[in-house]
Each structure stands twice: as structure tokens, then as C-alpha cells.
Amino acid sequence: MATQAQALSFAPTQQMITDADASLMHIVARPGVVFVRGKGSYMWDADDRRYLDFIQGWAVNCLGHSPPALVRALSRQAKVLLNASPALHNPLIIETAKLLTENSALDRVFFASSGAEANEGALKLARRYGQKHRNGAFEVITTWNSFHGRTLAMMSATGKQAWEPLFEPKVPGFVKVPFNDLTAMRKAITPNTAAIMVEPVQGEGGVNVATKRYMKGLRELCDETGVLLILDEIQTGIGRTGSLFAYEQFDIEPDIMTLGKGLGGGFPVSALLSKEKVSVFEPGDQGGTYCGQPLAMIAAKTVIEEMLRKNIPRKAKNRGNYLKRQLKFMSKEFRFTDVRGMGLLVAVDLPQEKGPAIVAKALEEGLLINAPGAATLRFMPALTISRAEIDEMIEILRKVLRAVL
Ligand code: PLP
């Protein structure tokens, strides 16, 4: 393997870190490690050290690092057609849209590149619908602790307290209410409300799972009032929670749904889906240079086909239950205050605000995990993870927690 790493021929790690400090915008404090390759549940750094990856590109690499089927499909397509033009047909955009509509409760698809871009599209669609069918209603109700992306409108939609003072003035038209609180949602609806937008599980907010009662209640509220129900499934979709889409487990159907992250298995692609009656865009309303380009489409198509062919969502559910069981076994020793999640989107709450210290120590020990809050750890491995790899993670985590807590 050393020869493989050497063949990649990068500058020495310290040189790369110095160059990064000098040339990249400082948007996040990255650790002093440079990752050069990945396979399945593992990544290797420039010094050929192996890490067990429970972040997977931020819940993106649903089939693991460089899955053979995706690598083959992308390589083949790269030789055939990269970008036709968003204003021209290509076979893959048609086939991928068909695959999504045939396997979901939604009827129409618009493709984009990032989650925030798909969510922007969802908001525009809701406003367009409000204009046409609800006397110009334009407001969207979102929830506290939600995360919808980093464009200006999505930062305005997101319910992160720390973002409230940033980049003022925000995009108007968002109202925020507590998550899992139907009464607050009912009270917030006015004639100006075009849509409600929620995540079935708030991922960035710390893996807060919606109750079935809440999701069913939202659907009923929307049916009663004519307000649209938008589900942001950018993190929960494509098998992550144990079904192809999380909404299936709540026995409801959204009017609009957004997908990203796992959809491309590591390749940047996202999608906005809607019911037929809500599909009110007119030519000129929506678009983008990279929307539906063949390389992104082959990635999405391959990922969905793999999900269906190998029933990966079911495996994610089983592995997720196993992971939660193992974490619960550790609860007593480390006094976790909660272990929760759906499928392979799992979190534990710690008795102390040691999340960042644990993440740093885990990195030293060859494990990549995330702390979405000071006292919370999040686990979002590949959906193809094995029990042995989960056991390996638990062993490393136990060692790390004994050192830090
Ligand atoms: N929505 C949810 C639920 C997310 O988790 C994220 C990213 O973490 C986004 C939207 C934004 O996606 P992107 O970073 O691809 O724009």
C-alpha cells in the first residue's frame, strides 16, 4: 500500500499544511492531516496511516469510499459525455428522474449540485405555488436546530441560534418554531404561510428524530390548511435512516422533498422532487449550468440502483440497530445520557462537554467521528459498513473515552 500512496506523489504533509494555511480561506479549523485515498470504510493520509471513517464525507459516501460500481460507471461515462447542456436532453437525466419517481411518492424532479441549491429550489417552488394557488402566500415555517444549507436564503431558513446575527439582513419570509411541537407549528400558520420545511431527523442539530405523531400531525395540518409540506431529506434520504426515504417510516408523503449527500455517493448531485400538483415552475423559473449533467446523473443512477439491488436501506437499519446496541452497552461505563438515531444516523449525548476533545483524540487513534454539539457525538458511517468495522470503532471509542472522560 505504501507504494500506492507514494505513487500519488504529494508534497510532505507539513509542507501541504503550510501551503493550506497560506492559500485557503479560513472557513474551518482542519486537523493537521491530509487525506489522499479511501476504500470502503477506511481512508489513508499522506503518510499512509489508516483511519476508520464514521463521517464518510459528512454522510455522503453511502456506499463507502470509491465503491467499485460507482468508479466503473463514472469512468465509463467520463469517456462518453461530461456535459451536454442543461437546456438539452441527455439519456441519463431522463433515466435517473424516472428511477426516482418510480421509487418515491413524488412525480417530478429537478436536479442540482448541492443540498442548499436543491433547498433553494424547494423554497422557490413553494413561493411560486403560493403565488398561483394561495393568494401570494410566501412564508415558510422551519424549526429551531434545523440545518438547510449555507446560501444566504438557507442560512435564513436554518434554525441555528448562532447564525441569527450573521450576514444581516437575512432573506425575509422565514418563521421558526420548536421541533416536534405541533401546537407551535399550528399557531405559526397564517394566510401568508406557503410551506412548512422540516428534516425527518435533524442531522446537524444533533440527530433529533421527529416523532411519528409529529410528522403525521404536520401532514394533517398541511392537508387542513393547504400549506405545502417540504421534507429536507438531504441527510436522511437514500437509505441513511433504514428506508430509501425517511418519510416512508412515518407513513406520510411530502408535497416536496429534497435530496443530496448520499444521492451521488460522493459525487456532487442533489434533487428537488414534487408532487404533480405542486410542480408549478414555468420555463425560466429555475435552472443552473450543472443541473442534470451526465456525470452527476450516472452517479445518482448507479447509487439508487445499488441501493435497490442490494437492499442497502434494510442493511443500514440492521447495522444501525447493532451500532445503537453496542453504544448502549457502553452507556453505563461512560454515563451517556442518551443514545438515539434512525438507521445509520446515530448520536450519543455525553455527560460532559468533551465532544471536540473526543473527536481530536479519536483522530489520533485512527478514527473519524463528528461532534455536532459540545456534548454530542454523531456516527454516520457508510451504509455498507460491516459488524466487524462497527466493533472496531467501538473498541477505539472505548479507549478514547477512557482517556478523555
Ligand atoms: N439540508 C440538510 C438536512 C443537511 O444536512 C445539509 C448539509 O449538511 C444541507 C441541507 C446542505 O447541503 P449542502 O452542504 O450540500 O449544500
Side-chain angles (χ1 to χ4, degrees), residues 7 19 38 68 150 231 248 289 351 364 396:
D19 290 348
R150 287 177 178 274
L231 292 187
E248 297 168 51
T289 303
E364 271 177 34
I396 304 175

Side-chain angles (χ1 to χ4, degrees), residues 332-365:
K332 205 159 172 218
E333 179 178 355
F334 300 107
R335 294 182 297 117
F336 295 154
T337 50
D338 195 22
V339 177
R340 61 180 174 277
M342 254 178 103
L344 280 168
L345 186 52
V346 172
V348 299
D349 284 339
L350 304 161
Q352 300 163 40
E353 298 205 334
K354 291 270 176 80
I358 291 166
V359 167
K361 181 72 182 156
L363 183 89
E364 271 177 34
E365 297 295 334

Side-chain angles (χ1 to χ4, degrees), residues 58 114-117 119 147-149 199 204 232 234-235 261:
W58 229 257
S114 71
E117 195 184 1
N119 279 347
F147 185 92
H148 299 295
E199 299 153 85
E204 299 307 298
D232 177 343
I234 284 158
Q235 190 155 149
K261 290 190 181 282

